[in-house]
Amino acid sequence: MGKTVFITGASRGIGAAAARLFYENGYNVVINYNNSVEKAKALADSLPGALLMQGDVSKEEDVKRMVFAATEHFGKIDVLINNAGISYVNLLTDTTLEEWEKLFRVNVTGTFLMTKYAAENMISNHSGKIINISSIWGISGASLESGYSATKGAVIAFTKALAKELGPSGITVNCVAPGFIDTDMNSDVTPEDTKAFCEDTPLGRIGTPDEVSKALLFLASEGADFITGQIIGVDGGVII
Ligand code: NAP
C-alpha cells in the first residue's frame, strides 16, 4: 500500500490542488473540508479511493475523529499537510476580538490539534513528514492583515520548535510560505493591487496552487529526508 497524506482544507485552492497532485503520484489521500461539501465531494469523486473527511480543524473532537478514522482506513498517516486557513483584511482598529480569536483557532490551534493527534502515530512508527502552510506575511507582515500575519508567524515558530522536538523520533517538520497565489482567498483583491504586487515580485506574476503543491510534494518525498525546520518560500522571489 502506498503512502498516505492527510491534507486539511482540501476542498478548494491549494489544498485541492495538492490532493490531486499527491493522488497522481500514488499517495492515498485524505481530503478534509469544513463547509464546501459540494466542491469536496466533486474532488473526491474524481480521485477514486480518496477518503473524504468533514471536520473543523479548530475543534478537538473533530480532529480526533478524523485522525482516528484516517488511520483506521489507511493504516497510518505518513504525511500531514496543515493547509486549512482563513484570512481577514481589515484595520487593526476595526478587527473584532471574535475575528482575532477565529483566526488563531483555525490557523494556529487547528495546526496544533492536527499535528498533536497525527504525530502520536508517527512517533510510534518512527517516521513521518509534517508540512505546515505559513505565508510571506508570517515573515514580513501585511498591512491590514495583522491578525493573519500573527497567526502565520506563529506557524513558523511552531514548525521550528517541533522540528527540534520530533527530529529524534524520525519525523521532519517543514513549512511552505506561499506568496500571492490565485485562489478564493484573494478573490477580493482588486486588479490594481494585483498588478502592483506583481511589479514588486521578481518573477513578475502571481503563483498557482499547483506551484505550491509541487513544493509540498518535494517536502513529502525521500528527496527531502534530511530537510527539517525549514521555511520554503514559494513566492516568485518577493522575499529574498
Ligand atoms: P482558500 O481557497 O480560501 O481555501 C481554504 C481552505 O481551508 C478551504 O478548503 C476551507 O474548507 C479550509 N478551511 C477553512 N477553515 C477550516 C476549518 N476550520 N477546518 C477545516 N478546513 C477549513 O485558501 P487557499 O488560498 O487555498 O489557502 C490555503 C492555505 O494557504 C491557507 O493556510 C492560507 O493561509 C495559505 N496561503 C494562501 C495564500 C494565497 O495567496 N492564496 C498565500 C499564502 C498562504 P471549506 O471551504 O470546506 O470550509
Side-chain angles (χ1 to χ4, degrees), residues 101-140:
E101 288 182 340
K102 187 158 185 204
L103 279 169
F104 273 81
R105 274 205 311 276
V106 176
N107 297 359
V108 183
T109 306
T111 298
F112 154 68
L113 287 172
M114 281 298 309
T115 306
K116 173 180 158 98
Y117 288 103
E120 285 175 1
N121 189 244
M122 291 178 177
I123 290 166
S124 338
N125 297 332
H126 207 78
S127 87
K129 289 193 158 72
I130 296 166
I131 309 169
N132 300 320
I133 312 286
S134 177
S135 162
I136 48 168
W137 304 133
I139 300 167
S140 71

PDB file of all heavy atoms in Angstrom, residues 101-140:
ATOM      1  N   GLU A 101      -9.825  35.899  17.413  1.00  0.00           N
ATOM      2  CA  GLU A 101      -9.800  34.556  18.011  1.00  0.00           C
ATOM      3  C   GLU A 101     -10.083  33.478  16.975  1.00  0.00           C
ATOM      4  O   GLU A 101      -9.509  32.398  17.035  1.00  0.00           O
ATOM      5  CB  GLU A 101     -10.788  34.480  19.186  1.00  0.00           C
ATOM      6  CG  GLU A 101     -10.268  35.271  20.369  1.00  0.00           C
ATOM      7  CD  GLU A 101     -11.152  35.217  21.601  1.00  0.00           C
ATOM      8  OE1 GLU A 101     -12.348  34.891  21.476  1.00  0.00           O
ATOM      9  OE2 GLU A 101     -10.628  35.530  22.680  1.00  0.00           O
ATOM     10  N   LYS A 102     -10.940  33.778  16.004  1.00  0.00           N
ATOM     11  CA  LYS A 102     -11.228  32.774  14.966  1.00  0.00           C
ATOM     12  C   LYS A 102      -9.986  32.520  14.104  1.00  0.00           C
ATOM     13  O   LYS A 102      -9.678  31.374  13.755  1.00  0.00           O
ATOM     14  CB  LYS A 102     -12.408  33.210  14.095  1.00  0.00           C
ATOM     15  CG  LYS A 102     -12.804  32.099  13.156  1.00  0.00           C
ATOM     16  CD  LYS A 102     -14.192  32.164  12.618  1.00  0.00           C
ATOM     17  CE  LYS A 102     -14.452  30.896  11.798  1.00  0.00           C
ATOM     18  NZ  LYS A 102     -15.467  31.000  10.813  1.00  0.00           N
ATOM     19  N   LEU A 103      -9.276  33.589  13.761  1.00  0.00           N
ATOM     20  CA  LEU A 103      -8.033  33.422  13.000  1.00  0.00           C
ATOM     21  C   LEU A 103      -7.082  32.476  13.733  1.00  0.00           C
ATOM     22  O   LEU A 103      -6.510  31.565  13.138  1.00  0.00           O
ATOM     23  CB  LEU A 103      -7.333  34.769  12.824  1.00  0.00           C
ATOM     24  CG  LEU A 103      -7.814  35.694  11.714  1.00  0.00           C
ATOM     25  CD1 LEU A 103      -7.181  37.078  11.866  1.00  0.00           C
ATOM     26  CD2 LEU A 103      -7.471  35.109  10.347  1.00  0.00           C
ATOM     27  N   PHE A 104      -6.913  32.727  15.033  1.00  0.00           N
ATOM     28  CA  PHE A 104      -5.983  31.881  15.790  1.00  0.00           C
ATOM     29  C   PHE A 104      -6.515  30.465  15.960  1.00  0.00           C
ATOM     30  O   PHE A 104      -5.752  29.500  15.920  1.00  0.00           O
ATOM     31  CB  PHE A 104      -5.630  32.526  17.157  1.00  0.00           C
ATOM     32  CG  PHE A 104      -4.466  33.473  17.025  1.00  0.00           C
ATOM     33  CD1 PHE A 104      -4.656  34.767  16.546  1.00  0.00           C
ATOM     34  CD2 PHE A 104      -3.180  33.055  17.303  1.00  0.00           C
ATOM     35  CE1 PHE A 104      -3.575  35.630  16.372  1.00  0.00           C
ATOM     36  CE2 PHE A 104      -2.102  33.905  17.124  1.00  0.00           C
ATOM     37  CZ  PHE A 104      -2.294  35.195  16.664  1.00  0.00           C
ATOM     38  N   ARG A 105      -7.848  30.337  16.139  1.00  0.00           N
ATOM     39  CA  ARG A 105      -8.411  28.991  16.315  1.00  0.00           C
ATOM     40  C   ARG A 105      -8.185  28.134  15.079  1.00  0.00           C
ATOM     41  O   ARG A 105      -7.785  26.985  15.173  1.00  0.00           O
ATOM     42  CB  ARG A 105      -9.911  29.056  16.626  1.00  0.00           C
ATOM     43  CG  ARG A 105     -10.223  29.239  18.106  1.00  0.00           C
ATOM     44  CD  ARG A 105     -11.598  28.713  18.470  1.00  0.00           C
ATOM     45  NE  ARG A 105     -12.621  29.180  17.567  1.00  0.00           N
ATOM     46  CZ  ARG A 105     -13.251  30.354  17.663  1.00  0.00           C
ATOM     47  NH1 ARG A 105     -12.933  31.189  18.635  1.00  0.00           N
ATOM     48  NH2 ARG A 105     -14.180  30.694  16.799  1.00  0.00           N
ATOM     49  N   VAL A 106      -8.431  28.701  13.889  1.00  0.00           N
ATOM     50  CA  VAL A 106      -8.284  27.890  12.667  1.00  0.00           C
ATOM     51  C   VAL A 106      -6.798  27.757  12.285  1.00  0.00           C
ATOM     52  O   VAL A 106      -6.292  26.643  12.108  1.00  0.00           O
ATOM     53  CB  VAL A 106      -9.084  28.502  11.496  1.00  0.00           C
ATOM     54  CG1 VAL A 106      -8.848  27.698  10.216  1.00  0.00           C
ATOM     55  CG2 VAL A 106     -10.571  28.554  11.844  1.00  0.00           C
ATOM     56  N   ASN A 107      -6.107  28.877  12.171  1.00  0.00           N
ATOM     57  CA  ASN A 107      -4.753  28.843  11.594  1.00  0.00           C
ATOM     58  C   ASN A 107      -3.700  28.280  12.550  1.00  0.00           C
ATOM     59  O   ASN A 107      -2.736  27.655  12.102  1.00  0.00           O
ATOM     60  CB  ASN A 107      -4.330  30.253  11.166  1.00  0.00           C
ATOM     61  CG  ASN A 107      -5.215  30.820  10.055  1.00  0.00           C
ATOM     62  OD1 ASN A 107      -6.133  30.151   9.582  1.00  0.00           O
ATOM     63  ND2 ASN A 107      -4.961  32.051   9.647  1.00  0.00           N
ATOM     64  N   VAL A 108      -3.867  28.523  13.835  1.00  0.00           N
ATOM     65  CA  VAL A 108      -2.835  28.077  14.789  1.00  0.00           C
ATOM     66  C   VAL A 108      -3.320  26.859  15.595  1.00  0.00           C
ATOM     67  O   VAL A 108      -2.677  25.814  15.586  1.00  0.00           O
ATOM     68  CB  VAL A 108      -2.418  29.227  15.738  1.00  0.00           C
ATOM     69  CG1 VAL A 108      -1.292  28.750  16.665  1.00  0.00           C
ATOM     70  CG2 VAL A 108      -1.959  30.442  14.939  1.00  0.00           C
ATOM     71  N   THR A 109      -4.467  26.998  16.250  1.00  0.00           N
ATOM     72  CA  THR A 109      -4.959  25.863  17.049  1.00  0.00           C
ATOM     73  C   THR A 109      -5.258  24.667  16.143  1.00  0.00           C
ATOM     74  O   THR A 109      -4.984  23.518  16.514  1.00  0.00           O
ATOM     75  CB  THR A 109      -6.222  26.267  17.841  1.00  0.00           C
ATOM     76  OG1 THR A 109      -5.903  27.440  18.594  1.00  0.00           O
ATOM     77  CG2 THR A 109      -6.668  25.172  18.785  1.00  0.00           C
ATOM     78  N   GLY A 110      -5.783  24.921  14.950  1.00  0.00           N
ATOM     79  CA  GLY A 110      -6.055  23.825  14.012  1.00  0.00           C
ATOM     80  C   GLY A 110      -4.771  23.087  13.657  1.00  0.00           C
ATOM     81  O   GLY A 110      -4.730  21.851  13.615  1.00  0.00           O
ATOM     82  N   THR A 111      -3.714  23.836  13.423  1.00  0.00           N
ATOM     83  CA  THR A 111      -2.413  23.228  13.114  1.00  0.00           C
ATOM     84  C   THR A 111      -1.891  22.437  14.317  1.00  0.00           C
ATOM     85  O   THR A 111      -1.401  21.312  14.186  1.00  0.00           O
ATOM     86  CB  THR A 111      -1.423  24.336  12.694  1.00  0.00           C
ATOM     87  OG1 THR A 111      -1.927  24.955  11.503  1.00  0.00           O
ATOM     88  CG2 THR A 111      -0.033  23.793  12.434  1.00  0.00           C
ATOM     89  N   PHE A 112      -2.029  23.029  15.495  1.00  0.00           N
ATOM     90  CA  PHE A 112      -1.605  22.337  16.729  1.00  0.00           C
ATOM     91  C   PHE A 112      -2.369  21.024  16.919  1.00  0.00           C
ATOM     92  O   PHE A 112      -1.774  19.963  17.151  1.00  0.00           O
ATOM     93  CB  PHE A 112      -1.825  23.264  17.936  1.00  0.00           C
ATOM     94  CG  PHE A 112      -2.034  22.536  19.236  1.00  0.00           C
ATOM     95  CD1 PHE A 112      -1.009  21.819  19.836  1.00  0.00           C
ATOM     96  CD2 PHE A 112      -3.279  22.548  19.865  1.00  0.00           C
ATOM     97  CE1 PHE A 112      -1.216  21.125  21.029  1.00  0.00           C
ATOM     98  CE2 PHE A 112      -3.496  21.865  21.050  1.00  0.00           C
ATOM     99  CZ  PHE A 112      -2.462  21.148  21.633  1.00  0.00           C
ATOM    100  N   LEU A 113      -3.705  21.089  16.815  1.00  0.00           N
ATOM    101  CA  LEU A 113      -4.511  19.889  17.101  1.00  0.00           C
ATOM    102  C   LEU A 113      -4.235  18.773  16.100  1.00  0.00           C
ATOM    103  O   LEU A 113      -4.027  17.614  16.483  1.00  0.00           O
ATOM    104  CB  LEU A 113      -6.010  20.245  17.073  1.00  0.00           C
ATOM    105  CG  LEU A 113      -6.529  21.056  18.249  1.00  0.00           C
ATOM    106  CD1 LEU A 113      -7.971  21.509  17.989  1.00  0.00           C
ATOM    107  CD2 LEU A 113      -6.449  20.245  19.548  1.00  0.00           C
ATOM    108  N   MET A 114      -4.221  19.115  14.813  1.00  0.00           N
ATOM    109  CA  MET A 114      -3.980  18.091  13.793  1.00  0.00           C
ATOM    110  C   MET A 114      -2.606  17.459  14.013  1.00  0.00           C
ATOM    111  O   MET A 114      -2.440  16.237  13.908  1.00  0.00           O
ATOM    112  CB  MET A 114      -4.043  18.704  12.389  1.00  0.00           C
ATOM    113  CG  MET A 114      -5.432  18.945  11.859  1.00  0.00           C
ATOM    114  SD  MET A 114      -6.455  17.454  11.668  1.00  0.00           S
ATOM    115  CE  MET A 114      -5.405  16.357  10.729  1.00  0.00           C
ATOM    116  N   THR A 115      -1.624  18.287  14.310  1.00  0.00           N
ATOM    117  CA  THR A 115      -0.260  17.779  14.491  1.00  0.00           C
ATOM    118  C   THR A 115      -0.180  16.905  15.736  1.00  0.00           C
ATOM    119  O   THR A 115       0.418  15.825  15.723  1.00  0.00           O
ATOM    120  CB  THR A 115       0.728  18.949  14.592  1.00  0.00           C
ATOM    121  OG1 THR A 115       0.549  19.787  13.442  1.00  0.00           O
ATOM    122  CG2 THR A 115       2.159  18.470  14.651  1.00  0.00           C
ATOM    123  N   LYS A 116      -0.800  17.374  16.809  1.00  0.00           N
ATOM    124  CA  LYS A 116      -0.761  16.606  18.070  1.00  0.00           C
ATOM    125  C   LYS A 116      -1.284  15.181  17.862  1.00  0.00           C
ATOM    126  O   LYS A 116      -0.634  14.220  18.255  1.00  0.00           O
ATOM    127  CB  LYS A 116      -1.626  17.324  19.118  1.00  0.00           C
ATOM    128  CG  LYS A 116      -1.809  16.559  20.427  1.00  0.00           C
ATOM    129  CD  LYS A 116      -2.678  17.368  21.384  1.00  0.00           C
ATOM    130  CE  LYS A 116      -3.324  16.470  22.430  1.00  0.00           C
ATOM    131  NZ  LYS A 116      -2.653  16.438  23.699  1.00  0.00           N
ATOM    132  N   TYR A 117      -2.438  15.054  17.210  1.00  0.00           N
ATOM    133  CA  TYR A 117      -3.026  13.726  17.096  1.00  0.00           C
ATOM    134  C   TYR A 117      -2.370  12.895  15.988  1.00  0.00           C
ATOM    135  O   TYR A 117      -2.208  11.677  16.146  1.00  0.00           O
ATOM    136  CB  TYR A 117      -4.550  13.823  16.952  1.00  0.00           C
ATOM    137  CG  TYR A 117      -5.144  14.243  18.277  1.00  0.00           C
ATOM    138  CD1 TYR A 117      -5.564  15.557  18.495  1.00  0.00           C
ATOM    139  CD2 TYR A 117      -5.183  13.352  19.339  1.00  0.00           C
ATOM    140  CE1 TYR A 117      -6.049  15.957  19.731  1.00  0.00           C
ATOM    141  CE2 TYR A 117      -5.654  13.748  20.582  1.00  0.00           C
ATOM    142  CZ  TYR A 117      -6.090  15.050  20.779  1.00  0.00           C
ATOM    143  OH  TYR A 117      -6.537  15.428  22.011  1.00  0.00           O
ATOM    144  N   ALA A 118      -1.971  13.518  14.885  1.00  0.00           N
ATOM    145  CA  ALA A 118      -1.305  12.745  13.824  1.00  0.00           C
ATOM    146  C   ALA A 118       0.098  12.325  14.268  1.00  0.00           C
ATOM    147  O   ALA A 118       0.586  11.252  13.896  1.00  0.00           O
ATOM    148  CB  ALA A 118      -1.240  13.560  12.539  1.00  0.00           C
ATOM    149  N   ALA A 119       0.744  13.155  15.086  1.00  0.00           N
ATOM    150  CA  ALA A 119       2.130  12.857  15.490  1.00  0.00           C
ATOM    151  C   ALA A 119       2.206  11.621  16.388  1.00  0.00           C
ATOM    152  O   ALA A 119       3.221  10.917  16.379  1.00  0.00           O
ATOM    153  CB  ALA A 119       2.750  14.060  16.196  1.00  0.00           C
ATOM    154  N   GLU A 120       1.151  11.337  17.143  1.00  0.00           N
ATOM    155  CA  GLU A 120       1.192  10.174  18.044  1.00  0.00           C
ATOM    156  C   GLU A 120       1.530   8.908  17.251  1.00  0.00           C
ATOM    157  O   GLU A 120       2.391   8.125  17.625  1.00  0.00           O
ATOM    158  CB  GLU A 120      -0.175   9.985  18.728  1.00  0.00           C
ATOM    159  CG  GLU A 120      -0.422  10.994  19.831  1.00  0.00           C
ATOM    160  CD  GLU A 120      -1.819  10.884  20.437  1.00  0.00           C
ATOM    161  OE1 GLU A 120      -2.601   9.999  20.002  1.00  0.00           O
ATOM    162  OE2 GLU A 120      -2.115  11.689  21.332  1.00  0.00           O
ATOM    163  N   ASN A 121       0.821   8.763  16.112  1.00  0.00           N
ATOM    164  CA  ASN A 121       1.025   7.600  15.262  1.00  0.00           C
ATOM    165  C   ASN A 121       2.400   7.651  14.588  1.00  0.00           C
ATOM    166  O   ASN A 121       3.104   6.631  14.486  1.00  0.00           O
ATOM    167  CB  ASN A 121      -0.116   7.598  14.226  1.00  0.00           C
ATOM    168  CG  ASN A 121      -0.161   6.325  13.423  1.00  0.00           C
ATOM    169  OD1 ASN A 121       0.044   6.356  12.233  1.00  0.00           O
ATOM    170  ND2 ASN A 121      -0.407   5.197  14.070  1.00  0.00           N
ATOM    171  N   MET A 122       2.805   8.834  14.162  1.00  0.00           N
ATOM    172  CA  MET A 122       4.117   8.974  13.503  1.00  0.00           C
ATOM    173  C   MET A 122       5.246   8.629  14.476  1.00  0.00           C
ATOM    174  O   MET A 122       6.237   8.011  14.096  1.00  0.00           O
ATOM    175  CB  MET A 122       4.308  10.400  12.984  1.00  0.00           C
ATOM    176  CG  MET A 122       3.414  10.767  11.819  1.00  0.00           C
ATOM    177  SD  MET A 122       3.683  12.485  11.322  1.00  0.00           S
ATOM    178  CE  MET A 122       2.578  12.614   9.910  1.00  0.00           C
ATOM    179  N   ILE A 123       5.086   9.040  15.732  1.00  0.00           N
ATOM    180  CA  ILE A 123       6.129   8.765  16.734  1.00  0.00           C
ATOM    181  C   ILE A 123       6.259   7.243  16.934  1.00  0.00           C
ATOM    182  O   ILE A 123       7.362   6.711  16.965  1.00  0.00           O
ATOM    183  CB  ILE A 123       5.819   9.502  18.063  1.00  0.00           C
ATOM    184  CG1 ILE A 123       6.002  11.018  17.869  1.00  0.00           C
ATOM    185  CG2 ILE A 123       6.721   8.993  19.201  1.00  0.00           C
ATOM    186  CD1 ILE A 123       5.409  11.879  18.982  1.00  0.00           C
ATOM    187  N   SER A 124       5.109   6.540  17.018  1.00  0.00           N
ATOM    188  CA  SER A 124       5.198   5.068  17.166  1.00  0.00           C
ATOM    189  C   SER A 124       5.847   4.443  15.946  1.00  0.00           C
ATOM    190  O   SER A 124       6.543   3.442  16.061  1.00  0.00           O
ATOM    191  CB  SER A 124       3.843   4.389  17.357  1.00  0.00           C
ATOM    192  OG  SER A 124       2.876   5.227  17.817  1.00  0.00           O
ATOM    193  N   ASN A 125       5.598   5.005  14.758  1.00  0.00           N
ATOM    194  CA  ASN A 125       6.182   4.442  13.527  1.00  0.00           C
ATOM    195  C   ASN A 125       7.624   4.902  13.304  1.00  0.00           C
ATOM    196  O   ASN A 125       8.294   4.436  12.388  1.00  0.00           O
ATOM    197  CB  ASN A 125       5.365   4.871  12.297  1.00  0.00           C
ATOM    198  CG  ASN A 125       3.959   4.345  12.341  1.00  0.00           C
ATOM    199  OD1 ASN A 125       3.712   3.317  12.941  1.00  0.00           O
ATOM    200  ND2 ASN A 125       3.040   5.058  11.712  1.00  0.00           N
ATOM    201  N   HIS A 126       8.088   5.842  14.124  1.00  0.00           N
ATOM    202  CA  HIS A 126       9.406   6.467  13.965  1.00  0.00           C
ATOM    203  C   HIS A 126       9.605   6.998  12.544  1.00  0.00           C
ATOM    204  O   HIS A 126      10.682   6.924  11.972  1.00  0.00           O
ATOM    205  CB  HIS A 126      10.539   5.494  14.342  1.00  0.00           C
ATOM    206  CG  HIS A 126      11.766   6.229  14.802  1.00  0.00           C
ATOM    207  ND1 HIS A 126      11.883   6.781  16.062  1.00  0.00           N
ATOM    208  CD2 HIS A 126      12.920   6.547  14.154  1.00  0.00           C
ATOM    209  CE1 HIS A 126      13.048   7.383  16.168  1.00  0.00           C
ATOM    210  NE2 HIS A 126      13.705   7.266  15.023  1.00  0.00           N
ATOM    211  N   SER A 127       8.544   7.513  11.949  1.00  0.00           N
ATOM    212  CA  SER A 127       8.688   8.184  10.656  1.00  0.00           C
ATOM    213  C   SER A 127       7.463   9.051  10.393  1.00  0.00           C
ATOM    214  O   SER A 127       6.379   8.786  10.921  1.00  0.00           O
ATOM    215  CB  SER A 127       8.882   7.180   9.520  1.00  0.00           C
ATOM    216  OG  SER A 127       7.660   6.745   9.013  1.00  0.00           O
ATOM    217  N   GLY A 128       7.658  10.071   9.593  1.00  0.00           N
ATOM    218  CA  GLY A 128       6.533  10.940   9.240  1.00  0.00           C
ATOM    219  C   GLY A 128       7.035  12.278   8.751  1.00  0.00           C
ATOM    220  O   GLY A 128       8.173  12.672   9.030  1.00  0.00           O
ATOM    221  N   LYS A 129       6.175  12.927   8.010  1.00  0.00           N
ATOM    222  CA  LYS A 129       6.530  14.255   7.499  1.00  0.00           C
ATOM    223  C   LYS A 129       5.350  15.190   7.756  1.00  0.00           C
ATOM    224  O   LYS A 129       4.219  14.909   7.353  1.00  0.00           O
ATOM    225  CB  LYS A 129       6.867  14.180   6.014  1.00  0.00           C
ATOM    226  CG  LYS A 129       8.199  13.457   5.748  1.00  0.00           C
ATOM    227  CD  LYS A 129       8.676  13.647   4.327  1.00  0.00           C
ATOM    228  CE  LYS A 129      10.165  13.429   4.157  1.00  0.00           C
ATOM    229  NZ  LYS A 129      10.620  12.049   4.248  1.00  0.00           N
ATOM    230  N   ILE A 130       5.636  16.282   8.433  1.00  0.00           N
ATOM    231  CA  ILE A 130       4.608  17.274   8.737  1.00  0.00           C
ATOM    232  C   ILE A 130       4.972  18.548   7.976  1.00  0.00           C
ATOM    233  O   ILE A 130       6.122  19.010   8.043  1.00  0.00           O
ATOM    234  CB  ILE A 130       4.548  17.539  10.258  1.00  0.00           C
ATOM    235  CG1 ILE A 130       4.123  16.258  10.985  1.00  0.00           C
ATOM    236  CG2 ILE A 130       3.581  18.693  10.568  1.00  0.00           C
ATOM    237  CD1 ILE A 130       4.351  16.278  12.479  1.00  0.00           C
ATOM    238  N   ILE A 131       4.012  19.054   7.220  1.00  0.00           N
ATOM    239  CA  ILE A 131       4.270  20.268   6.438  1.00  0.00           C
ATOM    240  C   ILE A 131       3.189  21.292   6.774  1.00  0.00           C
ATOM    241  O   ILE A 131       1.992  21.028   6.598  1.00  0.00           O
ATOM    242  CB  ILE A 131       4.271  19.972   4.921  1.00  0.00           C
ATOM    243  CG1 ILE A 131       5.190  18.788   4.601  1.00  0.00           C
ATOM    244  CG2 ILE A 131       4.708  21.219   4.157  1.00  0.00           C
ATOM    245  CD1 ILE A 131       5.047  18.258   3.177  1.00  0.00           C
ATOM    246  N   ASN A 132       3.622  22.419   7.282  1.00  0.00           N
ATOM    247  CA  ASN A 132       2.692  23.482   7.637  1.00  0.00           C
ATOM    248  C   ASN A 132       2.684  24.546   6.543  1.00  0.00           C
ATOM    249  O   ASN A 132       3.686  24.757   5.867  1.00  0.00           O
ATOM    250  CB  ASN A 132       3.113  24.115   8.964  1.00  0.00           C
ATOM    251  CG  ASN A 132       3.113  23.099  10.095  1.00  0.00           C
ATOM    252  OD1 ASN A 132       2.214  22.263  10.168  1.00  0.00           O
ATOM    253  ND2 ASN A 132       4.125  23.161  10.954  1.00  0.00           N
ATOM    254  N   ILE A 133       1.533  25.210   6.412  1.00  0.00           N
ATOM    255  CA  ILE A 133       1.464  26.303   5.432  1.00  0.00           C
ATOM    256  C   ILE A 133       1.428  27.622   6.188  1.00  0.00           C
ATOM    257  O   ILE A 133       0.456  27.919   6.907  1.00  0.00           O
ATOM    258  CB  ILE A 133       0.211  26.202   4.526  1.00  0.00           C
ATOM    259  CG1 ILE A 133       0.038  24.791   3.965  1.00  0.00           C
ATOM    260  CG2 ILE A 133       0.316  27.242   3.405  1.00  0.00           C
ATOM    261  CD1 ILE A 133       0.986  24.390   2.879  1.00  0.00           C
ATOM    262  N   SER A 134       2.474  28.383   6.011  1.00  0.00           N
ATOM    263  CA  SER A 134       2.507  29.745   6.556  1.00  0.00           C
ATOM    264  C   SER A 134       2.175  30.694   5.411  1.00  0.00           C
ATOM    265  O   SER A 134       1.279  30.439   4.606  1.00  0.00           O
ATOM    266  CB  SER A 134       3.866  30.039   7.178  1.00  0.00           C
ATOM    267  OG  SER A 134       3.914  31.370   7.644  1.00  0.00           O
ATOM    268  N   SER A 135       2.906  31.782   5.309  1.00  0.00           N
ATOM    269  CA  SER A 135       2.669  32.794   4.276  1.00  0.00           C
ATOM    270  C   SER A 135       3.842  33.763   4.310  1.00  0.00           C
ATOM    271  O   SER A 135       4.487  33.916   5.356  1.00  0.00           O
ATOM    272  CB  SER A 135       1.374  33.550   4.606  1.00  0.00           C
ATOM    273  OG  SER A 135       1.320  34.772   3.898  1.00  0.00           O
ATOM    274  N   ILE A 136       4.061  34.438   3.199  1.00  0.00           N
ATOM    275  CA  ILE A 136       5.061  35.513   3.237  1.00  0.00           C
ATOM    276  C   ILE A 136       4.716  36.535   4.317  1.00  0.00           C
ATOM    277  O   ILE A 136       5.588  37.145   4.910  1.00  0.00           O
ATOM    278  CB  ILE A 136       5.195  36.250   1.876  1.00  0.00           C
ATOM    279  CG1 ILE A 136       3.812  36.637   1.330  1.00  0.00           C
ATOM    280  CG2 ILE A 136       6.004  35.443   0.885  1.00  0.00           C
ATOM    281  CD1 ILE A 136       3.869  37.611   0.164  1.00  0.00           C
ATOM    282  N   TRP A 137       3.409  36.675   4.586  1.00  0.00           N
ATOM    283  CA  TRP A 137       3.013  37.686   5.574  1.00  0.00           C
ATOM    284  C   TRP A 137       3.378  37.254   6.986  1.00  0.00           C
ATOM    285  O   TRP A 137       3.484  38.094   7.887  1.00  0.00           O
ATOM    286  CB  TRP A 137       1.519  37.991   5.470  1.00  0.00           C
ATOM    287  CG  TRP A 137       1.105  38.425   4.094  1.00  0.00           C
ATOM    288  CD1 TRP A 137       0.029  37.964   3.394  1.00  0.00           C
ATOM    289  CD2 TRP A 137       1.737  39.409   3.251  1.00  0.00           C
ATOM    290  NE1 TRP A 137      -0.043  38.589   2.170  1.00  0.00           N
ATOM    291  CE2 TRP A 137       0.986  39.473   2.058  1.00  0.00           C
ATOM    292  CE3 TRP A 137       2.858  40.226   3.379  1.00  0.00           C
ATOM    293  CZ2 TRP A 137       1.327  40.319   1.000  1.00  0.00           C
ATOM    294  CZ3 TRP A 137       3.207  41.064   2.330  1.00  0.00           C
ATOM    295  CH2 TRP A 137       2.453  41.112   1.172  1.00  0.00           C
ATOM    296  N   GLY A 138       3.596  35.966   7.204  1.00  0.00           N
ATOM    297  CA  GLY A 138       4.078  35.495   8.505  1.00  0.00           C
ATOM    298  C   GLY A 138       5.545  35.826   8.709  1.00  0.00           C
ATOM    299  O   GLY A 138       6.067  35.747   9.817  1.00  0.00           O
ATOM    300  N   ILE A 139       6.228  36.204   7.620  1.00  0.00           N
ATOM    301  CA  ILE A 139       7.643  36.584   7.693  1.00  0.00           C
ATOM    302  C   ILE A 139       7.757  38.110   7.696  1.00  0.00           C
ATOM    303  O   ILE A 139       8.424  38.696   8.537  1.00  0.00           O
ATOM    304  CB  ILE A 139       8.424  36.010   6.489  1.00  0.00           C
ATOM    305  CG1 ILE A 139       8.323  34.488   6.473  1.00  0.00           C
ATOM    306  CG2 ILE A 139       9.892  36.468   6.522  1.00  0.00           C
ATOM    307  CD1 ILE A 139       8.781  33.842   5.162  1.00  0.00           C
ATOM    308  N   SER A 140       7.054  38.752   6.731  1.00  0.00           N
ATOM    309  CA  SER A 140       7.284  40.192   6.576  1.00  0.00           C
ATOM    310  C   SER A 140       6.145  41.056   7.104  1.00  0.00           C
ATOM    311  O   SER A 140       6.317  42.254   7.277  1.00  0.00           O
ATOM    312  CB  SER A 140       7.524  40.524   5.097  1.00  0.00           C
ATOM    313  OG  SER A 140       6.330  40.386   4.367  1.00  0.00           O
TER     314      SER A 140
END
